[in-house]
Amino acid sequence: MKTKCIAMLLAGGKGTRLKQLTSHIPKPAVPFGGRYRIIDFVLSNCRNSSIKNIGVLTQYARNPLHEYLGNGKKWGLNGGLTLLPPYQYGLQKQWYDGTANAVFQNLDFIEEHNPEHVLILAADHIYKMDYNEMLYDHMNADADITIAVQKVPLMEASRFGIMITNAEGRIIKFEEKPIYPLSDLASMGIYLFKWRPFKEWIESGINKYENSDFGHDVIPTMLMDGYHLHAHHFNTYWRDVGTIESYWEANMDLLKEEKNVFFEKKNWDIYTDCSPQAPRYISPTAVIRNSIINEGCKIYGEVINSVIFFGVSIGHGSIIKDSIVLPFSTIGKNVIIEKSVVNSNTSILDNSWIHSNTITFVRNDEPPQTKRIITNVF
């Protein structure tokens, strides 16, 4: 039986630019927004878009992600989620070598479902999207490939795949991360392929496994080969959280009503697998302003413009400002934390000051000592 559309989630990234946040887990498994993980957004988008067959391509530190995802039941996918780590070919172990290579190694999985269209999704973006709208646009344009796009500030355009389109939305030029961008129309890394033409192109012998990345290799080559590439405009909140700075900014966006992704598409829930916690406790000494405080927290100090994940304890006299504190961390007494990301299960000593990359220990019996924080903050 032919399937309308299946999704392939690229979830194997090491996420080195997230530094210590991904020292033991892959980027899609990093906590976000107080109680979620980054991958929850794309999985929830699939569920809400009624995409029932999803392959999750995993690689780096995959066991924690596999354990978290299970069979997808928490996201209402009812067994439609399949984990696809790299596996051995003959006597050699074949690791995924880029986004497209990962998909090419799983053509048998796609063929089992016999889809009309294949949706390629990054598992490390924060957004709410109805993929049916993109599919409708794709089919209406009779495109071989449709790419979700969004305008970005021109000064940031060199970080993205940049394209030029004609009046009908057909892509006529595409450059991956150009030094001198010719436009501000950026690829979101979301690709929708008409499966048969794409399969025929793959099997035509054009460097099947050497073309390892969609942005660098597949999209420019298929454009040059004359395939019909179409741009689908997405105009609401979207952020790639690939760096510590962008991760911090995306969490801070939740504290602004006009940028809070959860306030968009009110009936578009984001699902997660979050263990139950005790009710939060806010002591009489606590002061909280414009912040997110989650279950299981004990707050004795002051929290200003910050996102505090579940199970966090903040001691008397401490001030947390413009910061993110990940799950089950303990902040001592009289601690000042500003514009920082504190990793999960971290203990901050009493009388410490953390600001971005620096921590200062203040003791009564000696002058303050300053040293670099390596594992806990950016």
Side-chain angles (χ1 to χ4, degrees):
M1 181 181 294
K2 185 176 287 292
T3 303
K4 191 72 172 178
C5 184
I6 69 169
M8 302 291 279
L9 270 59
L10 302 170
K14 190 172 183 179
T16 54
R17 294 180 299 165
L18 284 175
K19 301 180 182 178
Q20 281 68 34
L21 295 184
T22 52
S23 59
H24 301 294
I25 58 175
K27 183 165 50 170
V30 170
F32 179 84
R35 67 186 304 268
Y36 301 89
R37 299 197 187 218
I38 294 172
I39 197 171
D40 290 337
F41 286 83
V42 67
L43 288 174
S44 299
N45 287 339
C46 286
R47 172 188 171 160
N48 294 330
S49 301
S50 299
I51 295 178
K52 299 179 180 179
N53 295 297
I54 304 166
V56 184
L57 286 68
T58 62
Q59 181 158 283
Y60 169 74
R62 60 182 178 263
N63 288 344
L65 185 59
H66 285 192
E67 183 179 348
Y68 178 68
L69 295 178
N71 65 359
K73 184 178 179 180
K74 293 288 185 179
W75 294 268
L77 299 173
N78 300 321
L81 185 145
T82 304
L83 301 173
L84 298 171
Y87 56 93
Q88 189 169 329
Y89 288 86
L91 299 177
Q92 290 187 329
K93 196 167 188 177
Q94 181 69 47
W95 294 105
Y96 294 149
D97 184 21
T99 56
N101 178 263
V103 173
F104 293 166
Q105 289 193 43
N106 288 282
L107 297 182
D108 54 345
F109 171 81
I110 299 175
E111 279 292 271
E112 285 176 11
H113 295 281
N114 191 25
E116 293 181 34
H117 308 277
V118 178
L119 183 62
I120 310 295
L121 300 167
D124 53 3
H125 296 167
I126 305 300
Y127 67 113
K128 290 182 176 182
M129 179 188 282
D130 185 346
Y131 299 131
N132 290 305
E133 294 177 359
M134 184 175 179
L135 180 60
Y136 176 82
D137 193 14
H138 170 73
M139 295 173 64
N140 193 50
D142 195 25
D144 297 309
I145 310 166
T146 294
I147 304 174
V149 301
Q150 188 168 92
K151 289 197 171 187
V152 298
L154 194 58
M155 62 183 298
E156 298 180 14
S158 60
R159 296 173 43 221
F160 301 92
I162 296 298
M163 64 202 75
I164 297 175
T165 64
N166 64 15
E168 288 74 40
R170 182 162 184 160
I171 299 168
I172 56 177
K173 188 171 184 178
F174 182 95
E175 291 183 292
E176 180 70 3
K177 298 179 180 178
I179 297 175
Y180 303 107
L182 296 178
S183 84
D184 59 356
L185 195 60
S187 167
M188 296 168 60
I190 300 172
Y191 310 106
L192 184 57
F193 289 86
K194 190 184 292 182
W195 173 236
R196 288 303 154 194
F198 185 43
K199 182 174 183 285
E200 290 169 5
W201 179 84
I202 295 171
E203 294 179 342
S204 66
I206 306 176
N207 299 322
K208 179 176 179 181
Y209 288 104
E210 293 178 14
N211 288 337
S212 62
D213 187 81
F214 282 107
H216 281 290
D217 306 300
V218 172
I219 299 302
T221 303
M222 294 191 77
L223 182 62
M224 187 171 56
D225 289 346
Y227 286 85
H228 180 182
L229 276 65
H230 179 73
H232 172 72
H233 289 261
F234 183 72
N235 299 318
T236 56
Y237 188 91
W238 170 80
R239 191 180 281 273
D240 180 345
V241 287
T243 66
I244 282 286
E245 291 77 11
S246 63
Y247 174 81
W248 178 84
E249 289 169 357
N251 276 277
M252 291 296 101
D253 284 345
L254 299 176
L255 305 175
K256 305 167 187 172
E257 185 174 355
E258 69 278 8
K259 288 189 174 182
N260 189 317
V261 66
F262 295 106
F263 292 169
E264 296 182 351
K265 296 175 76 72
K266 296 295 177 64
N267 296 322
W268 199 267
D269 293 330
I270 301 299
Y271 301 90
T272 190
D273 183 6
C274 185
S275 58
Q277 300 291 324
R280 67 180 67 83
Y281 173 70
I282 310 298
S283 83
T285 61
V287 176
I288 298 173
R289 293 201 294 271
N290 194 44
S291 295
I292 294 172
I293 311 291
N294 275 274
E295 296 92 340
C297 290
K298 299 176 183 178
I299 310 297
Y300 299 92
E302 189 169 346
V303 181
I304 304 169
N305 204 57
S306 295
V307 177
I308 310 300
F309 281 71
F310 50 85
V312 170
S313 176
I314 298 174
H316 289 281
S318 292
I319 300 173
I320 315 298
K321 184 177 181 181
D322 301 326
S323 294
I324 306 161
V325 183
L326 271 60
F328 302 115
S329 291
T330 300
I331 313 300
K333 298 177 182 178
N334 303 312
V335 172
I336 298 176
I337 300 177
E338 298 181 272
K339 202 176 181 182
S340 298
V341 178
V342 178
N343 209 346
S344 303
N345 299 292
T346 297
S347 294
I348 303 295
L349 300 179
D350 294 350
N351 305 310
S352 300
W353 172 57
I354 300 175
H355 186 283
S356 295
N357 278 316
T358 306
I359 182 168
T360 302
F361 297 97
V362 180
R363 299 189 178 99
N364 294 328
D365 58 342
E366 61 185 38
Q369 296 180 351
T370 301
K371 67 177 183 179
R372 300 286 287 182
I373 274 287
I374 297 174
T375 57
N376 301 325
V377 299
F378 75 90

